[in-house]
Coordinates of all heavy atoms in Angstrom, one line a residue:
Chain B
R357 N 16.4 9.9 3.9 CA 15.7 8.7 3.5 C 15.6 7.8 4.8 O 14.6 7.3 5.1 CB 16.4 8.0 2.4 CG 15.6 7.0 1.6 CD 16.5 6.5 0.5 NE 16.6 7.4 -0.7 CZ 17.7 7.6 -1.3 NH1 18.8 7.1 -1.0 NH2 17.7 8.5 -2.4
R358 N 16.8 7.6 5.4 CA 16.8 6.7 6.6 C 16.1 7.3 7.8 O 15.5 6.6 8.6 CB 18.2 6.3 6.9 CG 18.8 5.5 5.7 CD 19.9 4.6 6.1 NE 20.7 4.3 4.9 CZ 21.8 3.4 5.0 NH1 22.1 2.9 6.1 NH2 22.4 3.2 3.9
V359 N 16.2 8.6 8.0 CA 15.6 9.2 9.1 C 14.0 9.1 8.9 O 13.3 8.8 9.9 CB 16.0 10.7 9.3 CG1 15.1 11.4 10.2 CG2 17.4 10.8 9.8
M360 N 13.6 9.3 7.7 CA 12.2 9.1 7.4 C 11.7 7.7 7.6 O 10.7 7.4 8.3 CB 11.9 9.5 5.9 CG 12.0 11.0 5.6 SD 10.5 11.9 6.2 CE 9.3 11.4 5.0
L361 N 12.5 6.7 7.1 CA 12.1 5.3 7.2 C 12.1 4.9 8.7 O 11.2 4.2 9.1 CB 13.2 4.5 6.5 CG 13.0 3.0 6.4 CD1 11.7 2.6 5.8 CD2 14.2 2.4 5.6
G362 N 13.1 5.3 9.5 CA 13.2 5.0 10.9 C 12.0 5.6 11.7 O 11.4 5.0 12.5
T363 N 11.7 6.9 11.4 CA 10.6 7.6 12.1 C 9.3 6.9 11.8 O 8.5 6.6 12.7 CB 10.6 9.0 11.6 OG1 11.9 9.6 11.8 CG2 9.5 9.8 12.4
Y364 N 9.1 6.5 10.5 CA 7.9 5.8 10.1 C 7.8 4.4 10.9 O 6.8 4.1 11.5 CB 8.0 5.5 8.6 CG 6.8 4.8 8.1 CD1 5.6 5.4 7.8 CD2 6.9 3.4 7.8 CE1 4.5 4.7 7.3 CE2 5.8 2.7 7.3 CZ 4.6 3.3 7.1 OH 3.5 2.6 6.6
A365 N 8.9 3.7 10.9 CA 8.9 2.3 11.5 C 8.7 2.4 13.0 O 8.2 1.4 13.6 CB 10.2 1.6 11.2
L366 N 9.0 3.5 13.6 CA 8.8 3.6 15.0 C 7.5 4.4 15.4 O 7.2 4.5 16.6 CB 10.0 4.4 15.7 CG 11.3 3.7 15.7 CD1 12.4 4.7 16.2 CD2 11.3 2.5 16.5
S367 N 6.8 4.8 14.4 CA 5.6 5.7 14.7 C 4.4 4.8 15.1 O 4.3 3.7 14.8 CB 5.3 6.6 13.5 OG 4.9 5.8 12.4
S368 N 3.5 5.5 15.8 CA 2.4 4.8 16.3 C 1.6 4.2 15.2 O 1.3 4.7 14.2 CB 1.5 5.9 17.0 OG 0.3 5.4 17.4
G369 N 1.3 2.9 15.5 CA 0.5 2.1 14.4 C 1.4 1.3 13.6 O 0.9 0.3 12.9
Y370 N 2.7 1.6 13.5 CA 3.6 0.8 12.7 C 4.7 0.1 13.4 O 5.4 -0.8 12.9 CB 4.2 1.7 11.6 CG 3.2 2.3 10.7 CD1 2.8 3.6 10.8 CD2 2.6 1.5 9.7 CE1 1.8 4.1 10.0 CE2 1.6 2.0 8.9 CZ 1.2 3.3 9.0 OH 0.2 3.8 8.2
Y371 N 4.9 0.5 14.7 CA 5.9 0.0 15.5 C 5.9 -1.6 15.6 O 6.9 -2.2 15.4 CB 5.8 0.6 16.9 CG 6.8 0.1 17.9 CD1 8.0 0.8 18.1 CD2 6.6 -1.0 18.7 CE1 9.0 0.4 19.0 CE2 7.5 -1.4 19.7 CZ 8.7 -0.7 19.8 OH 9.6 -1.2 20.7
D372 N 4.7 -2.2 15.9 CA 4.6 -3.6 16.0 C 5.0 -4.3 14.7 O 5.7 -5.3 14.7 CB 3.2 -4.0 16.5 CG 3.0 -3.7 17.9 OD1 4.0 -3.3 18.6 OD2 1.9 -3.8 18.4
A373 N 4.4 -3.8 13.6 CA 4.6 -4.5 12.3 C 6.1 -4.4 11.8 O 6.5 -5.3 11.1 CB 3.7 -3.9 11.3
Y374 N 6.7 -3.3 12.2 CA 8.1 -3.2 11.7 C 9.2 -3.4 12.7 O 9.9 -4.4 12.8 CB 8.2 -1.8 11.0 CG 7.5 -1.7 9.7 CD1 6.3 -1.0 9.6 CD2 7.9 -2.4 8.6 CE1 5.6 -0.9 8.4 CE2 7.2 -2.4 7.4 CZ 6.1 -1.6 7.3 OH 5.4 -1.6 6.1
Y375 N 9.3 -2.4 13.6 CA 10.5 -2.4 14.6 C 10.4 -3.7 15.5 O 11.4 -4.4 15.6 CB 10.5 -1.2 15.4 CG 11.7 -1.1 16.3 CD1 13.0 -0.9 15.7 CD2 11.6 -1.3 17.6 CE1 14.1 -0.9 16.6 CE2 12.7 -1.3 18.5 CZ 14.0 -1.1 17.9 OH 15.1 -1.1 18.7
R376 N 9.3 -3.9 16.1 CA 9.2 -5.0 17.1 C 9.4 -6.3 16.4 O 10.1 -7.2 16.9 CB 7.8 -4.9 17.7 CG 7.6 -5.8 18.9 CD 6.5 -5.2 19.7 NE 6.1 -6.3 20.7 CZ 4.9 -6.8 20.7 NH1 3.9 -6.4 19.8 NH2 4.6 -7.7 21.6
R377 N 8.8 -6.5 15.2 CA 9.0 -7.7 14.4 C 10.5 -7.8 13.9 O 11.0 -8.9 14.0 CB 8.0 -7.7 13.2 CG 8.1 -8.8 12.3 CD 6.9 -8.8 11.3 NE 5.8 -9.6 11.9 CZ 5.6 -10.9 11.7 NH1 6.4 -11.6 11.0 NH2 4.6 -11.5 12.3
A378 N 11.0 -6.8 13.5 CA 12.4 -6.8 13.0 C 13.4 -7.3 14.1 O 14.3 -8.1 13.9 CB 12.9 -5.5 12.4
Q379 N 13.1 -6.8 15.3 CA 14.0 -7.2 16.4 C 13.9 -8.7 16.7 O 14.9 -9.3 17.0 CB 13.5 -6.4 17.7 CG 14.0 -5.0 17.7 CD 15.5 -4.8 18.0 OE1 16.3 -5.3 17.3 NE2 15.8 -4.2 19.1
K380 N 12.7 -9.2 16.6 CA 12.5 -10.7 16.8 C 13.2 -11.4 15.7 O 13.8 -12.5 15.9 CB 11.0 -11.0 16.8 CG 10.4 -10.6 18.1 CD 9.0 -11.1 18.2 CE 8.3 -10.8 19.6 NZ 7.0 -11.5 19.7
V381 N 13.1 -11.0 14.4 CA 13.8 -11.7 13.3 C 15.3 -11.6 13.6 O 16.0 -12.5 13.2 CB 13.4 -11.1 12.0 CG1 14.1 -11.8 10.8 CG2 11.9 -11.2 11.7
R382 N 15.7 -10.5 14.2 CA 17.2 -10.4 14.5 C 17.6 -11.6 15.4 O 18.6 -12.2 15.2 CB 17.4 -9.1 15.2 CG 18.9 -8.8 15.5 CD 19.1 -7.5 16.1 NE 20.5 -7.2 16.3 CZ 21.0 -6.1 16.7 NH1 20.3 -5.1 17.0 NH2 22.3 -6.0 16.8
T383 N 16.7 -11.9 16.4 CA 17.0 -13.1 17.2 C 17.0 -14.4 16.4 O 17.9 -15.2 16.6 CB 15.9 -13.2 18.3 OG1 16.1 -12.1 19.2 CG2 16.0 -14.5 19.1
V384 N 16.1 -14.5 15.5 CA 16.1 -15.7 14.6 C 17.4 -15.8 13.9 O 18.0 -16.9 13.8 CB 14.9 -15.6 13.6 CG1 15.0 -16.8 12.6 CG2 13.6 -15.7 14.3
I385 N 17.9 -14.7 13.3 CA 19.2 -14.7 12.5 C 20.3 -15.1 13.4 O 21.2 -15.9 13.1 CB 19.4 -13.4 11.9 CG1 18.3 -13.2 10.7 CG2 20.8 -13.2 11.4 CD1 18.2 -11.8 10.1
A386 N 20.4 -14.5 14.6 CA 21.4 -14.8 15.6 C 21.4 -16.3 16.0 O 22.5 -17.0 16.1 CB 21.3 -13.9 16.8
R387 N 20.2 -16.9 16.2 CA 20.1 -18.3 16.6 C 20.6 -19.2 15.5 O 21.2 -20.3 15.8 CB 18.6 -18.6 16.9 CG 18.1 -18.2 18.2 CD 16.6 -18.6 18.3 NE 16.0 -18.1 19.5 CZ 14.7 -18.3 19.8 NH1 13.9 -18.8 18.8 NH2 14.2 -17.9 20.9
E388 N 20.3 -18.8 14.3 CA 20.8 -19.7 13.1 C 22.3 -19.7 13.1 O 22.9 -20.8 12.9 CB 20.2 -19.2 11.8 CG 18.7 -19.4 11.7 CD 18.1 -18.9 10.4 OE1 18.9 -18.4 9.5 OE2 16.9 -19.0 10.2

Side-chain angles (χ1 to χ4, degrees):
Chain B
R357 202 176 280 136
R358 296 204 199 184
V359 167
M360 287 285 286
L361 182 58
T363 304
Y364 178 80
L366 291 174
S367 65
S368 173
Y370 298 101
Y371 179 90
D372 286 351
Y374 289 109
Y375 183 72
R376 193 157 164 242
R377 177 166 273 267
Q379 284 285 61
K380 288 189 175 187
V381 178
R382 185 175 183 177
T383 291
V384 172
I385 289 168
R387 281 179 181 173
E388 287 178 5

